[in-house]
Amino acid sequence: QVQLVESGGGVVQPGRSLRLSCVASGFPFRSFSMHWVRLTPGKGLEWLGVISDDGLNEDYIDPVKGRFTISRDNSKNTLYLQLNSLRGDDTAVYYCARGLPNWYRGYFDHWGQGALVTVSS
Amino acid sequence: DIKMTQSPSTLSASVGDTVTITCRASQSVNSWLAWYQQKPGQPPKLLIYMASSLETGVPSRFTGSGSGMEFTLTITSLQPDDFATYYCQQYETYSPFAFGAGTKVDMK
């Protein structure tokens, strides 16, 4: 069955960095776009960005452009989210999610269990 | 950017009730709309895609309808397992794939 297992969350000071990983299994990882979504108490679910199946295309919401980077290693069935210059309002549960083969349009049919990132001094 | 507005933000209901949640888009998203259910401590679960297509394994008491700018999610004969928060999400355009703010269905 499809599984997405995240790791890398934790407590980090403002301005520091963190990298989240999401290991996929149970489906042809290299054939699907992958997304990151976060859940915050104040804003609910917020889509952060997408990476195409081949890793050649990415897009992000404006608040994280230039700070967050999505990448993938199809040989390892692994998706990454590099979070730099973290701020207090980045505190959230971060989810990886499987999209559709087309990266420019998609809903999310499988999700990771979530990784809690707390930004605090 | 397309903005998604859900109403109500909270809905109090009893087991057996029929409940309806509305989602409005700031511009047409055709039928590119999904609905999710989320419970505390769990990831979201896909219920409906393409506005009205039921995801495999989702009970038939969940029904999605609408197109263009206005959509509804109806839960018929609410079950104890259905108390949760529900989100709509447009995917007509990836810039960005916006979610609604959520509707919490709680026990009356």
Side-chain angles (χ1 to χ4, degrees), chain A residues 5-112:
Chain A
V5 179
E6 301 173 31
S7 60
V11 180
V12 60
Q13 293 178 327
R16 303 298 292 266
S17 299
L18 203 63
R19 189 176 82 159
L20 305 180
S21 300
C22 171
V23 178
S25 60
F27 69 99
F29 180 70
R30 64 179 67 245
S31 297
F32 287 84
S33 65
M34 295 296 296
H35 303 251
W36 287 96
V37 177
R38 66 185 177 187
L39 175 68
T40 58
K43 297 175 92 172
L45 292 174
E46 182 176 42
W47 176 81
L48 296 175
V50 58
I51 188 166
S52 59
D53 55 351
D54 57 7
L56 296 181
N57 296 284
E58 302 160 42
D59 194 45
Y60 305 88
I61 55 169
D62 286 344
V64 308
K65 269 181 188 172
R67 297 193 302 123
F68 291 6
T69 303
I70 300 174
S71 61
R72 64 191 297 163
D73 186 338
N74 284 347
S75 69
K76 295 181 179 179
N77 285 359
T78 303
L79 175 73
Y80 303 99
L81 178 64
Q82 179 69 40
L83 303 93
N84 296 333
S85 303
L86 282 161
R87 312 185 302 221
D89 62 357
D90 293 319
T91 294
V93 177
Y94 287 75
Y95 298 100
C96 60
R98 190 179 83 166
L100 299 178
N102 292 329
W103 68 280
Y104 48 85
R105 179 173 283 150
Y107 54 85
F108 316 123
D109 61 353
H110 293 277
W111 298 67

Side-chain angles (χ1 to χ4, degrees), chain B residues 37-83:
Chain B
Q37 175 194 69
Q38 187 172 30
K39 298 177 182 177
Q42 297 183 20
K45 174 186 175 184
L46 176 68
L47 299 175
I48 302 279
Y49 60 96
M50 282 302 293
S52 61
S53 295
L54 197 66
E55 173 70 347
T56 302
V58 174
S60 58
R61 63 181 180 270
F62 292 92
T63 305
S65 63
S67 65
M69 297 173 62
E70 187 153 336
F71 302 86
T72 58
L73 174 70
T74 300
I75 312 171
T76 305
S77 187
L78 196 71
Q79 296 300 299
D81 192 48
D82 300 339
F83 293 101

